[in-house]
C-alpha cells in the first residue's frame, strides 16, 4: 500500500507540465530558477501563479524582487532548463542567449513568450510558497517544438 504523500507526489511527477524560467534583476546580479508550476490565473487583470519550494537562494531573491520576468521555454531550451534546475550550474551565460526587458528583468531572447510581472501576493503552504503575479508586459517570439517536464525529465514533444 502506498502512503498518501507518495501517491500524491507520484501523481504529479507523472503529470506533464510546461517549463519556464522565473528570473529577476538584483543588485548582486540576475537570479532565476526553473518552474513547472506556472499557470494562467486570469485575463482581466492578466495574472499567473507559480510555486517555489524554498524562500532561500534564487527563490528568495525572486520573491524579494520588485518585478520578475518569466520566460516560457520550448524544446530549444532543455539545457537552460536543466541549468536553472541545478544549484551551482552556469546561469545567465552568453551562450544561453539572455537579454532584458527595457525595465531590466532578464529574459531568454528566443523564448516564445516572456512575461514581465509584479508579485501581487504570496501564500505560504507548508514548505512552499505560492506566488500570484500580475502580468504587466508580454513579449512574443516565434514558437518552436514544445517541451514538458515529466517524471523528473525534460521531454521534447515532436509535432
Amino acid at each position: 500500500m502506498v502512503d498518501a504523500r507518495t501517491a500524491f507526489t507520484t501523481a504529479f511527477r507523472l503529470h506533464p507540465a510546461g517549463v519556464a524560467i522565473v528570473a529577476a534583476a538584483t543588485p548582486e546580479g540576475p537570479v532565476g530558477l526553473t518552474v513547472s508550476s506556472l499557470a494562467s490565473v486570469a485575463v482581466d487583470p492578466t495574472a499567473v501563479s507559480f510555486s517555489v519550494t524554498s524562500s532561500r537562494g534564487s527563490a528568495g531573491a525572486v520573491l524579494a524582487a520588485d518585478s520578475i520576468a518569466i520566460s516560457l521555454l520550448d524544446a530549444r531550451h532543455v539545457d537552460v532548463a536543466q541549468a536553472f534546475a541545478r544549484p551551482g550550474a552556469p546561469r545567465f551565460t552568453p551562450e544561453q542567449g539572455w537579454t532584458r526587458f527595457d525595465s531590466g528583468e532578464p529574459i531568454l531572447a528566443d523564448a516564445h513568450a516572456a512575461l514581465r510581472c509584479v508579485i501581487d501576493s504570496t501564500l505560504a503552504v507548508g514548505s512552499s510558497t505560492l506566488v500570484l503575479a500580475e502580468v504587466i508586459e508580454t513579449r512574443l517570439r516565434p514558437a518552436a517544438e514544445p517541451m514538458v517536464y515529466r517524471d523528473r525529465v525534460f521531454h521534447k514533444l515532436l509535432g
Side-chain angles (χ1 to χ4, degrees):
M1 182 78 177
V2 176
D3 66 86
R5 181 179 175 155
T6 300
F8 178 81
T9 58
T10 299
F12 278 91
R13 193 181 76 236
L14 298 176
H15 179 71
V19 183
I21 301 288
V22 177
T26 73
E28 293 77 33
V31 295
L33 60 145
T34 302
V35 300
S36 60
S37 59
L38 182 68
S40 167
V41 173
V43 174
D44 188 17
T46 51
V48 296
S49 69
F50 62 91
S51 65
V52 295
T53 58
S54 174
S55 59
R56 298 182 309 271
S58 295
V62 163
L63 293 172
D66 291 332
S67 59
I68 60 173
I70 302 171
S71 297
L72 304 183
L73 307 185
D74 51 42
R76 331 173 250 214
H77 303 116
V78 170
D79 291 342
V80 177
Q82 290 171 332
F84 278 73
R86 288 191 315 264
R91 298 177 180 187
F92 301 103
T93 66
E95 299 78 26
Q96 292 171 340
W98 290 93
T99 189
R100 293 178 181 267
F101 277 110
D102 291 341
S103 48
E105 302 87 355
I107 56 173
L108 278 171
D110 65 349
H112 70 270
L115 312 172
R116 186 165 72 94
C117 307
V118 292
I119 295 176
D120 182 61
S121 60
T122 61
L123 175 65
V125 182
S127 62
S128 296
T129 301
L130 178 64
V131 178
L132 179 64
E134 182 176 354
V135 179
I136 54 178
E137 184 178 348
T138 301
R139 181 181 293 180
L140 298 175
R141 298 280 189 249
E145 297 296 331
M147 171 179 52
V148 297
Y149 185 69
R150 181 184 181 275
D151 200 15
R152 299 183 180 117
V153 177
F154 297 101
H155 299 272
K156 297 177 183 183
L157 298 180
L158 303 177

